[in-house]
Amino acid sequence: MTKYALVTGANKGIGLEVVRQLAEKDYHVFLGARNEELGMEAVQNLGFSNVKFIQVDVTNSQSIQDSLNKISKVTDHLDLLINNAGIAPDFHILTSEIKLETLRQAFEVNFFGTFQMIQTFLPLVKKSEGGKIINVTTDMASQTLFDRGETATINILGYNSSKTANNSLTLTFGKEFGSDGPEILGVTPGFTTTDLNGNTPGGKTTAEGATIITNYALSNINYNGKILNAKGIMPW
């Protein structure tokens, strides 16, 4: 049976590499992107017959519903939903100086967007035997690790706290799903040099970061309700 995956925010960076790696494993991958032109270009550049563009803006309920309707015409199940779309609008902004609208913007994409994607696509994921949802997160969202100084010391309220809320969402859905499935987990690729951080040097390549996500996506070990880094389960 054909395996199907949807990856959001996938026209560049880590998302694009996750699409590539899943396509190489014979998944039929829906490359989700907000911008149609960039999304179509990404599909063309990848050159896989088993990758199709799907327009989806995770901050727009109608766009999410439209993407579900289009995918439902191709398949009645979704084996992997990878919520990769995310923004970091407050790099270099002090917590005391962040504007409320900037904070809201971070949560709109990183938390509410992810929530809407899960709720909308859950019926399709449930129809897959071994369906899995992966929420891409950051190690800086771990309150424990960040407080101990065991992550990058980028003290930005919008990105970090919206991803902490994203982790809470993973835990909460995981408690609901229990052992009956589907499986939901959060994965951080760790510091990776991408557009998200202004291509800050010294991080993993996008392919290396994506491999961490893809490995958990394809793993037979059940990590329901957990957040993970390259080494395994990490603290909240």
Side-chain angles (χ1 to χ4, degrees), residues 65-126:
Q65 187 60 48
D66 289 345
S67 69
L68 173 69
N69 294 342
K70 287 173 186 169
I71 288 173
S72 296
K73 289 177 182 175
V74 179
T75 174
D76 66 347
H77 70 281
L78 194 63
D79 300 281
L80 284 173
L81 170 61
I82 299 183
N83 292 307
N84 170 72
I87 60 168
D90 57 328
F91 269 101
H92 310 300
I93 299 176
L94 295 172
T95 298
S96 57
E97 295 176 1
I98 189 172
K99 289 185 167 61
L100 182 60
E101 55 264 34
T102 306
L103 191 57
R104 286 191 198 280
Q105 188 185 13
F107 272 80
E108 199 61 52
V109 176
N110 299 343
F111 178 72
F112 292 112
T114 300
F115 169 74
Q116 285 191 95
M117 287 296 298
I118 295 168
Q119 200 173 58
T120 303
F121 280 91
L122 189 55
L124 277 193
V125 178
K126 279 184 171 178

Side-chain angles (χ1 to χ4, degrees), residues 153-192:
T153 56
I154 305 170
N155 190 35
I156 47 175
L157 181 65
Y159 181 66
N160 291 2
S161 66
S162 60
K163 287 293 192 178
T164 301
N166 188 307
N167 287 352
S168 178
L169 187 149
T170 302
L171 176 63
T172 308
F173 269 109
K175 295 289 188 189
E176 178 183 331
F177 297 160
S179 57
D180 299 329
E183 183 185 352
I184 186 167
L185 51 144
V187 178
T188 172
F191 173 36
T192 305

